[in-house]
Amino acid sequence: EPEVTQTPSHQVTQMGQEVILRCVPISNHLYFYWYRQILGQKVEFLVSFYNNEISEKSEIFDDQFSVERPDGSNFTLKIRSTKLEDSAMYFCASSRGGNTEAFFGQGTRLTVV
Amino acid sequence: GQQVMQIPQYQHVQEGEDFTTYCNSSTTLSNIQWYKQRPGGHPVFLIQLVKSGEVKKQKRLTFQFGEAKKNSSLHITATQTTDVGTYFCAAVDTGTASKLTFGTGTRLQVTL
């Protein structure tokens, strides 16, 4: 069964450093998303991407965040200057259509120290 | 912005007991989806409800969408230890992004 894959599974970074989280969505999907989940809390929407551009972003997704789909298969989330409060599990998701089920990757646990 | 609340926050049941989680939205929903997240895992899609008053069943799981499309529920009959996890409802934004606004989640613990 096709799945969304994310790398790395765990990243530890120093405050102020840049990190890039990588995702390979399911190949025939058109919508791509990043969500994050702080330990023990709900899943929060960060950004959606469709037709090679950002469709919507949340208040969390400030100027420190950016997304790219550099080569038609990868989908990346960059955090330019990490803060302690960026520590969370980051999930990539994709869906075939705009109103269909979302498939989530296994997540990247980001720890900022 | 849209708020989606779930109760209870946590429930501990003995295997074989029933379990229900309730989801309430501050606004009328177009669609609602339900996801299950096992401990240490990622959200996995369970079902989508679209119509007012809709009821769908998956084996021991029964999902309902309220008549006013502002609430939903998930009922599990005769829980098993494999049901352990957190159950999230998620409001579907049917605008361009179709983002999901997740509920606060209900963590289910099942013991023998």
Side-chain angles (χ1 to χ4, degrees), chain A residues 31 33 35 37 41-45 48 50 55-58 89 91 95 97-107, chain B residues 4 31 33 35 37 40-45 48 50 88 92-105:
Chain A
Y31 292 78
Y33 311 87
Y35 290 84
Q37 185 177 34
Q41 298 188 22
K42 68 176 183 178
V43 180
E44 299 176 289
F45 170 78
S48 58
Y50 170 71
S55 307
E56 190 168 351
K57 54 187 181 180
S58 71
M89 181 73 90
F91 291 108
S95 62
N99 200 21
T100 59
E101 67 181 281
F103 290 78
F104 284 76
Q106 304 282 352
Chain B
V4 184
N31 307 334
Q33 295 180 359
Y35 289 81
Q37 185 177 29
H42 60 283
V44 175
F45 175 83
Q48 176 164 270
V50 177
F88 291 99
V92 179
D93 178 343
T94 53
T96 311
S98 293
K99 70 177 186 186
L100 297 171
T101 301
F102 278 79
T104 47

Side-chain angles (χ1 to χ4, degrees), chain A residues 8-21 82-84 86-88 108-113:
Chain A
S9 56
H10 191 185
Q11 171 118 30
V12 181
T13 188
Q14 293 215 322
M15 193 168 54
Q17 295 296 303
E18 174 182 287
V19 294
I20 297 176
L21 310 183
T82 49
K83 307 191 237 339
L84 294 175
D86 293 328
S87 295
T108 294
R109 179 168 298 287
L110 176 66
T111 303
V112 182
V113 297

